[in-house]
Amino acid sequence: MRILTCSAVAACIALTAPQIAQAQDLGSNFKRDKNVSVRQRPRPDYEATGQKAGGFTVYPRVTVDLEHNDNIYAVATGKTDDNIWRVKPELAVRSDWSRHALGFFAGGNIIRYADNSSENTEEYTLSANGRLDVERGSSISGSAQFQRLTEPRTAITAGTPAGATPKPVEYDLVTSSLVAVKEFNRLRLTGRLDDKDFDYKDQGSPLFNQNTRDRNEIYYGGKAEYAVSPDTAIYATATGNKKDYDLSSLTDRSSDGYVVGLGANFDVSELMRGDIQVGYMKQSYDLATYKDISGFSAAGRLEWFPTQLTTLGLNGSRSIEESTAAGSQGYIANNLGASIDHELMRNVLLSATYSHGKDNYKGVDRDDKRDNFSATATYLLNRRVGLFLTYNYLKQDSSGAAKGASFKDNKLIASVALQF
């Protein structure tokens, strides 16, 4: 299913990569499709048909954005505004097989500033994924992806102790994953292995060195779910990680950690579904000067369906994240968010999201607060053309002796997406 219904903030068409559909789960105790959100609802008149190629379907598309940003360098004073063009060609390929699945994706993002050409950059993604259906309720899935990305000036990790970098920070991200699922009636077991490799590009000056951020991250773990009813399951999960930085130095943040949790997922009525988890997390660092970070962890999302035309969402998380602040080994990120999607007409959607984040840095005196609001109007002309208009507001307040940047940023983005 290909529908022009994603947020214009990303200025893309829904399903930006060829996601592999879940294995056949008819009669499963773990299906959570009793309710259908506004964005999940099928819209046959606005779905791309794609181009058939043997046992595959090819979905070409392109999105063009025009953004006005009133603070492109994310600073408190002396703001610089600019108009930014983005062109995003994409090609997704999916198998049409009754069993097993295979998909490929290639996409680019050409970013051009009208008056500040030093900010110009290009991004691209290449990926492949597949699923092997061993038997009913059992599958093995894998994926591999290479990305050339640019860190936004507004990113919490942007900047260095010497200040903002002369040009946007580019980096390569290589990710791969392997997931195995086995279902035994009321019990489902899942094992997962993920690998991430970060390679940041040099800024040409020791003052703005990015090489200390190069690292490899490995995550491994499992999850056991028990269905207490066809629409509710409780589970236990455990995930370990190992993060190795390439350069050994006084700022080496190499570490080992884990997260364990208990949770439940449910779709218990015609009004609500969700997944809520609480647990404990700990990260231990190789350097003795960096103290361990630990505490309770949390992750959750709820969807409420007051009517078939409106979906309300709540989400939250508490996690340990990597830091780029001098003297800090990491920080605890606390996030809360809410969203609403409303189907004004079959082809006209209105959406809004709000999130509040608070980051507590360890090892230094610094706390960051971030408020982000976004509103999008989507107009689907037909199965080939979609129009989007998005407003985005971001405010960051950083405090403490080692505080980072504080700023406000407003964006207005108009987009057109074409799919075939």
Side-chain angles (χ1 to χ4, degrees):
M1 181 177 66
R2 311 285 294 176
I3 305 177
L4 292 160
T5 55
C6 72
S7 168
V9 173
C12 61
I13 299 172
L15 305 175
T16 56
Q19 303 295 323
I20 294 299
Q22 296 297 315
Q24 295 294 322
D25 59 357
L26 297 177
S28 170
N29 287 300
F30 300 94
K31 293 175 62 177
R32 298 293 177 261
D33 57 0
K34 178 182 296 184
N35 296 290
V36 179
S37 69
V38 168
R39 291 192 172 274
Q40 288 179 320
R41 184 170 299 117
R43 294 177 175 84
D45 294 338
Y46 304 99
E47 298 175 11
T49 56
Q51 311 298 316
K52 298 296 182 181
F56 294 85
T57 302
V58 181
Y59 298 95
R61 61 183 178 238
V62 63
T63 306
V64 179
D65 294 348
L66 175 57
E67 171 189 321
H68 180 76
N69 188 326
D70 71 350
N71 191 7
I72 64 172
Y73 294 111
V75 295
T77 60
K79 297 180 181 180
T80 301
D81 69 317
D82 207 342
N83 295 315
I84 307 164
W85 287 94
R86 293 184 178 88
V87 180
K88 301 179 181 180
E90 299 175 353
L91 185 69
V93 181
R94 292 185 187 174
S95 63
D96 300 322
W97 310 331
S98 59
R99 294 186 71 247
H100 316 306
L102 186 62
F104 305 94
F105 176 81
N109 184 13
I110 303 169
I111 305 171
R112 292 294 180 267
Y113 286 69
D115 299 322
N116 296 271
S117 59
S118 62
E119 298 296 296
N120 292 348
T121 187
E122 296 85 31
E123 300 178 321
Y124 59 87
T125 297
L126 298 171
S127 67
N129 51 30
R131 189 195 68 244
L132 178 65
D133 296 330
V134 181
E135 58 185 22
R136 182 175 178 177
S138 300
S139 65
I140 300 174
S141 302
S143 66
Q145 179 172 264
F146 175 84
Q147 294 176 285
R148 167 65 59 85
L149 301 172
T150 302
E151 190 172 55
R153 293 287 190 179
T154 55
I156 195 69
T157 52
T160 67
T165 55
K167 57 184 180 179
V169 175
E170 296 181 341
Y171 63 100
D172 293 340
L173 175 59
V174 180
T175 59
S176 58
S177 68
L178 184 64
V179 181
V181 179
K182 175 63 177 177
E183 190 172 326
F184 308 88
N185 193 13
R186 287 177 175 264
L187 176 66
R188 182 166 69 177
L189 302 178
T190 303
R192 187 178 186 99
L193 177 65
D194 294 278
D195 183 272
K196 299 181 180 181
D197 196 78
F198 296 82
D199 182 11
Y200 288 82
K201 303 308 174 184
D202 196 359
Q203 287 279 313
S205 168
L207 291 175
F208 305 103
N209 183 23
Q210 298 293 315
N211 293 333
T212 56
R213 300 175 65 183
D214 295 349
R215 64 188 184 275
N216 177 260
E217 298 181 357
I218 295 178
Y219 299 84
Y220 49 91
K223 182 178 182 180
E225 300 172 85
Y226 180 76
V228 297
S229 72
D231 50 26
T232 302
I234 57 176
Y235 62 82
T237 180
T239 301
N241 69 73
K242 184 174 180 59
K243 303 177 181 181
D244 287 321
Y245 282 75
D246 292 355
L247 297 180
S248 297
S249 67
L250 296 178
T251 61
D252 185 354
R253 296 182 173 90
S254 296
S255 64
D256 296 271
Y258 63 86
V259 179
V260 293
L262 298 175
N265 56 66
F266 50 87
D267 193 354
V268 295
S269 71
E270 300 299 324
L271 291 178
M272 184 175 292
R273 70 180 173 193
D275 190 323
I276 299 175
Q277 174 188 320
V278 295
Y280 181 79
M281 59 187 178
K282 183 176 182 179
Q283 203 70 24
S284 301
Y285 296 84
D286 292 357
L287 286 184
T289 53
Y290 287 150
K291 295 182 179 180
D292 294 352
I293 301 177
S294 61
F296 77 90
S297 65
R301 58 174 178 80
L302 292 172
E303 287 182 297
W304 179 39
F305 308 91
T307 73
Q308 290 187 350
L309 301 181
T310 302
T311 303
L312 300 175
L314 292 174
N315 62 82
S317 64
R318 191 172 194 267
S319 60
I320 300 172
E321 303 295 338
E322 298 297 287
S323 171
T324 58
S328 174
Q329 65 272 46
Y331 63 90
I332 294 181
N334 304 274
N335 294 284
L336 289 173
S339 64
I340 181 171
D341 294 306
H342 179 69
E343 185 178 294
L344 192 63
M345 299 174 61
R346 195 66 169 171
N347 63 329
V348 179
L349 308 179
L350 302 177
S351 302
T353 62
Y354 169 76
S355 64
H356 175 75
K358 183 177 181 180
D359 302 327
N360 176 233
Y361 282 76
K362 302 301 180 181
V364 297
D365 180 20
R366 175 177 171 179
D367 289 292
D368 290 353
K369 295 180 180 179
R370 294 166 70 89
D371 292 281
N372 195 351
F373 170 78
S374 180
T376 299
T378 300
Y379 177 39
L380 307 177
L381 277 72
N382 51 50
R383 68 172 67 250
R384 296 189 184 280
V385 184
L387 303 177
F388 309 87
L389 183 64
T390 293
Y391 168 72
N392 183 265
Y393 170 77
L394 174 62
K395 178 183 178 182
Q396 176 172 300
D397 289 319
S398 187
S399 60
K403 64 182 180 182
S406 295
F407 60 87
K408 296 178 181 178
D409 180 49
N410 292 275
K411 301 176 183 178
L412 184 63
I413 309 165
S415 307
V416 57
L418 307 175
Q419 65 180 16
F420 306 93

